[in-house]
Amino acid sequence: MPDDARPVTSRFAPSPTGFLHLGHVHSCLFAVNAAKQGNGRFLLRIEDIDPNRCRPEYEVMLKEDLAWLGFRWDEPVRRQSEHMDDYAAALVTLAARHVTYPCFCSRKEITAEIAQAGNAPHLVAMGPEGPLYPGNCRHLPPDVAAARVAAGEPHAIRLDVRKATTLTGPLSWHDRGRGTITADTGLLGDIVLARRDVRTSYHLSVTVDDAIQGVTLVTRGEDLFHATHVHRLLQALLGLPVPDYHHHGLLLNARGERLSKRDGATGIRTLRAQGVSPAEILRRAASGAEG
Ligand code: GLU
């Protein structure tokens, strides 16, 4: 069956780190419209793996604002913090493929390392989000790394992207806006799969969840386009189905810049308090949300 004929399951996956704003509504509309056009399902997922930044009260307000705007989603809502076992299982699978390694570097050490290498710029690989992890712990002898883990030293788990890509060979994916994309799996370097403090990461949990929830069309902002390259690699390593993707443009302010908190009245709570109707908010959020 061609991809466009599959019944669509789309999702909106906010992190409850603040109030719902017009940018969220734009993204949610995009996912809802995609599900409608595909006679499909629309899911809501709460991406709350970071206990330092996520608050249950934000989740309550996000859902309440979405419902007030008229959005409906298929239940149950998946809350990532309740599915750590799924991410742990994926880590076991990846470890069994010998494409992971423990990383003991603190953020400070990584920054210092990059700054030092910055004197020889050809040594610092740059990614779309800044300099890439220089790879110190990738070179640790396995017995040394294992002893440090056994001794209880705090560590993250990273993906050895080069090794992983050798296993999978070339990969590609389909973006409904941009066509066939060849995966540039090294774009983000050796990504973190499990953080020191939280035993998963954005990349791992999103990839696992989209597969578990049967998402066939991942819609999200184009600011996350680069992440899809490495999600495609994780899918190949974990034997997961490959959804279609559609990255949408971001809502811009009058100056053509990405909306931010500085733009004032973009918070749905604020607009509600000003008496702005759901229909008007949806109209403001709709530009470019047609896919
Ligand atoms: N939770 C992410 C965010 O709020 C979105 C993740 C995704 O759609 O893949 O930006």
Side-chain angles (χ1 to χ4, degrees):
M1 199 187 302
D3 282 348
D4 286 355
R6 276 192 288 176
V8 163
T9 297
S10 68
R11 65 7 175 228
F12 174 54
S15 296
T17 56
F19 295 109
L20 196 75
H21 56 71
L22 278 180
H24 285 119
V25 180
H26 177 74
S27 199
C28 188
L29 263 179
F30 195 90
V32 167
N33 288 341
K36 271 194 197 141
Q37 282 157 20
N39 287 324
R41 296 188 308 148
F42 167 68
L43 308 174
L44 177 66
R45 183 165 75 225
I46 299 295
E47 304 215 321
D48 62 344
I49 56 168
D50 188 337
N52 300 322
R53 297 181 60 231
C54 298
R55 300 262 178 282
E57 46 290 14
Y58 284 134
E59 179 187 330
V60 171
M61 287 188 273
L62 287 178
K63 286 183 185 155
E64 213 267 319
D65 284 342
L66 288 172
W68 178 79
L69 287 166
F71 291 113
R72 300 289 177 266
W73 47 87
D74 285 15
E75 294 287 346
V77 172
R78 185 172 168 95
R79 187 179 295 116
Q80 289 188 323
S81 59
E82 293 170 355
H83 296 280
M84 296 304 288
D85 289 354
D86 291 329
Y87 315 133
L91 280 175
V92 169
T93 304
L94 294 171
R97 303 204 67 183
H98 305 290
V99 291
T100 63
Y101 61 88
C103 173
F104 306 93
C105 302
S106 67
R107 211 175 279 240
K108 228 176 168 177
E109 283 162 350
I110 296 173
T111 312
E113 175 80 18
I114 288 168
Q116 207 177 15
N119 299 328
H122 58 285
L123 295 177
V124 194
M126 288 301 287
E129 294 171 353
L132 303 183
Y133 174 62
N136 305 22
C137 288
R138 186 173 55 230
H139 306 298
L140 285 178
D143 54 330
V144 172
R148 288 173 71 173
V149 170
E153 193 172 333
H155 61 278
I157 304 288
R158 287 186 184 270
L159 181 66
D160 185 333
V161 169
R162 205 169 304 161
K163 211 165 163 191
T165 305
T166 310
L167 280 184
T168 64
L171 299 167
S172 64
W173 42 280
H174 180 245
D175 186 280
R176 291 197 176 180
R178 303 201 201 179
T180 303
I181 309 287
T182 301
D184 179 358
T185 52
L187 198 62
L188 298 182
D190 283 0
I191 52 155
V192 169
L193 297 170
R195 295 165 24 166
R196 279 177 174 219
D197 54 341
V198 181
R199 300 316 273 170
T200 186
S201 65
Y202 161 66
H203 298 300
L204 183 66
S205 43
V206 154
T207 307
V208 167
D209 284 351
D210 284 333
I212 287 180
Q213 293 191 283
V215 171
T216 63
L217 176 61
V218 173
T219 63
R220 58 185 172 209
E222 63 190 6
D223 53 331
L224 289 170
F225 189 88
H226 53 258
T228 305
H229 290 274
V230 74
H231 296 182
R232 181 66 192 88
L233 177 60
L234 290 175
Q235 285 154 4
L237 293 166
L238 291 166
L240 302 177
V242 184
D244 249 16
Y245 287 84
H246 200 164
H247 295 84
H248 59 76
L250 303 174
L251 215 54
L252 304 176
N253 66 17
R255 291 181 302 282
E257 300 152 354
R258 186 177 170 181
L259 279 188
S260 75
K261 291 213 176 87
R262 279 172 315 201
D263 291 306
T266 64
I268 306 310
R269 292 267 139 169
T270 312
L271 296 170
R272 279 177 78 169
Q274 290 168 353
V276 183
S277 68
E280 173 57 17
I281 292 176
L282 291 175
R283 193 195 63 73
R284 289 185 200 175
S287 67
E290 297 306 319

